[in-house]
Amino acid sequence: MHSIGYLLSDGFQVMAIASQSVFEYANHVAGEPFYRMANYSAHGGEVCSSLGMSVGTRRVSARASVDTWIAAGVNTPLDTPPPREILAFLRRTGTRARRIAGICTGSFVLAEAGLLSNRRATTHWFYAREMQSRFPDVRIEDDRIYIVDGPIWTSAGMTAGLDLALAMVEKDLGPDVARSVAHKLVMPQRRSGGQSQHSEMLDLAPKSDRIQNALNYARKNLGRPLTVEELAGEAHLSPRQFSRVFTEETGQSPAKAIEALRLEAARLMIEKSRHPLETIAKETGFRDRRHMREAFMRGFGLPPQEVRRRV
C-alpha cells in the first residue's frame, strides 16, 4: 500500500485536499486499497481551512511511514509563513519519502525548506514572480500545470492539484487507470504537465453574449478561414461595428484573438497527440507548418518542435 500524507497548516486551501478524491477513486478502479491517505500538521488536532472548515490531523512525525508528502497551499503565502515545525521536518525527514509535492502555493513551503534549490518548479501564476524573487535559485516556470523534477512535484493553482494527483496515479498504476479515474470524476480532459495555466477564452472575457457567441463559433471552426464578416454575422453586427465592439470588450482585434485561439488549439494538439505538425497546422487553421511556426515564435518564443520535445 502507498501512503500519502497531506501537510496542512491554518488557512490551507480546501482545493488541496480535494485532490484526495483522485486517490480514492484510483482505489476503486484498481479494485484494491492501493492508496492510504492521512492529514498531518505541526501539532496535530484540528486545523482550520481558509474557508473556515476544520479538518482533523495527526502530528507530523519522523516515525510516520509515508511514501508521498503533499504540502497544501494557503491563499496568502507572502503573509503566512509555513510553521517552523513543518519546515524542520521536511529538511530533516521528508526527503526520505519517495515523493514530495507542493500544490499551488504549497510550492512556497518546499522552497522555504530548501527542497527546490536548483530545481524546476511551478506555482499559482499570480505568485510566480514573487516566488522567483524570493527564491532566485529555483527555476520557476510560471506557465505549467505541474512539473516533476526528480522526486519533487509542484503544481499550479487550485484545480491543477487534481492534474498533479492524476499524474501520480498514472505513474503508479498506469494510463488506463488514470483515464478511468478522470472519467469517473467527470474531468473534461487529462491535462499534461506542460500545458499552459492560461486559457485564451478566459483571458478574452467579452462582456456581451454576442461577442461570446462569435468567439464560441470561431473556436468550433478554427480549421477553416474565418473572416470578420463571418464573425460579425454571428454577432448580428456589421463588420465595422463588430470590430469596434470586439476590441472594446476584449482589448484585442478580431484577427489577433483568432490567432491566439489557433495557437492554444495547436498547442493542445501538440501536447495531447502524436499528429504530424503539418496535420495540426491544417486542423487549427494555419496556412501551413511554416505559418504555424511563425505564430508560435511570436506567441510562445518557441517553435512547435520544442513544445513537443518538452512535453
Side-chain angles (χ1 to χ4, degrees):
M1 183 175 290
H2 189 98
S3 178
I4 300 178
Y6 279 74
L7 296 171
L8 309 180
S9 58
D10 281 325
F12 74 90
Q13 297 164 336
V14 173
M15 279 299 301
I17 59 173
S19 62
Q20 294 181 11
S21 294
V22 173
F23 302 114
E24 174 192 0
Y25 277 85
N27 287 341
H28 290 314
V29 173
E32 60 177 332
F34 183 84
Y35 293 107
R36 180 181 62 216
M37 290 157 285
N39 297 319
Y40 292 83
S41 64
H43 305 292
E46 290 195 345
V47 175
C48 190
S49 73
S50 60
L51 188 62
M53 178 184 72
S54 294
V55 173
T57 66
R58 304 175 184 179
R59 182 174 183 175
V60 70
S61 167
R63 295 189 298 273
S65 178
V66 172
D67 300 292
T68 297
W69 289 106
I70 299 179
V74 296
N75 287 337
T76 55
L78 308 183
D79 303 318
T80 313
R84 293 193 302 272
E85 296 85 353
I86 295 295
L87 296 177
F89 168 77
L90 287 173
R91 291 170 184 143
R92 183 179 63 252
T93 308
T95 51
R96 298 176 190 171
R98 174 184 165 194
R99 291 182 298 224
I100 301 179
I103 290 180
C104 191
T105 58
S107 301
F108 278 78
V109 180
L110 306 191
E112 194 69 45
L115 301 184
L116 298 185
S117 181
N118 298 314
R119 290 187 183 274
R120 297 168 57 235
T122 191
T123 189
H124 193 294
W125 62 267
F126 186 82
Y127 291 107
R129 184 172 298 178
E130 181 64 29
M131 186 173 182
Q132 185 66 85
S133 175
R134 286 195 177 195
F135 307 102
D137 60 340
V138 181
R139 301 197 298 275
I140 302 297
E141 298 185 21
D142 63 356
D143 197 27
R144 294 291 178 267
I145 296 297
Y146 63 84
I147 287 177
V148 181
D149 190 330
I152 307 297
W153 297 52
T154 52
S155 83
M158 302 302 180
T159 58
L162 300 176
D163 299 287
L164 179 141
L166 200 58
M168 288 183 175
V169 169
E170 181 171 354
K171 180 76 171 177
D172 297 336
L173 297 173
D176 290 342
V177 171
R179 277 192 294 269
S180 182
V181 170
H183 183 65
K184 288 180 180 297
L185 292 176
V186 199
M187 294 174 69
Q189 61 177 354
R190 192 167 56 87
R191 298 184 293 182
S192 65
Q195 188 169 326
S196 172
Q197 294 188 32
H198 304 289
S199 166
E200 287 300 331
M201 288 294 281
L202 286 176
D203 288 345
L204 290 170
K207 299 179 179 63
S208 66
D209 288 342
R210 55 189 178 183
I211 300 300
Q212 184 66 62
N213 290 339
L215 282 170
N216 289 337
Y217 175 83
R219 188 169 58 173
K220 293 175 183 177
N221 293 277
L222 289 176
R224 59 186 186 77
L226 291 166
T227 64
V228 170
E229 288 76 15
E230 187 176 359
L231 296 176
E234 291 297 316
H236 305 291
L237 293 169
S238 71
R240 184 174 179 180
Q241 285 177 312
F242 174 76
S243 294
R244 177 179 57 78
V245 173
F246 188 98
T247 303
E248 287 176 354
E249 293 194 13
T250 68
Q252 295 187 30
S253 68
K256 186 74 173 177
I258 298 306
E259 180 173 286
L261 291 177
R262 294 192 198 282
L263 274 174
E264 184 175 64
R267 183 172 180 172
L268 284 173
M269 287 188 70
I270 288 171
E271 291 172 345
K272 296 175 69 65
S273 77
R274 291 294 179 183
H275 294 313
L277 294 180
E278 292 84 354
T279 301
I280 293 174
K282 182 178 179 181
E283 289 290 324
T284 53
F286 292 102
R287 291 192 303 273
D288 50 32
R289 177 173 172 172
R290 181 179 178 180
H291 182 210
M292 182 172 72
R293 185 184 189 281
E294 292 170 352
F296 264 68
M297 293 303 296
R298 286 194 300 273
F300 305 131
L302 295 171
Q305 298 93 323
E306 180 64 14
V307 173
R308 171 160 281 174
R309 188 191 69 78
R310 291 190 177 192
V311 173

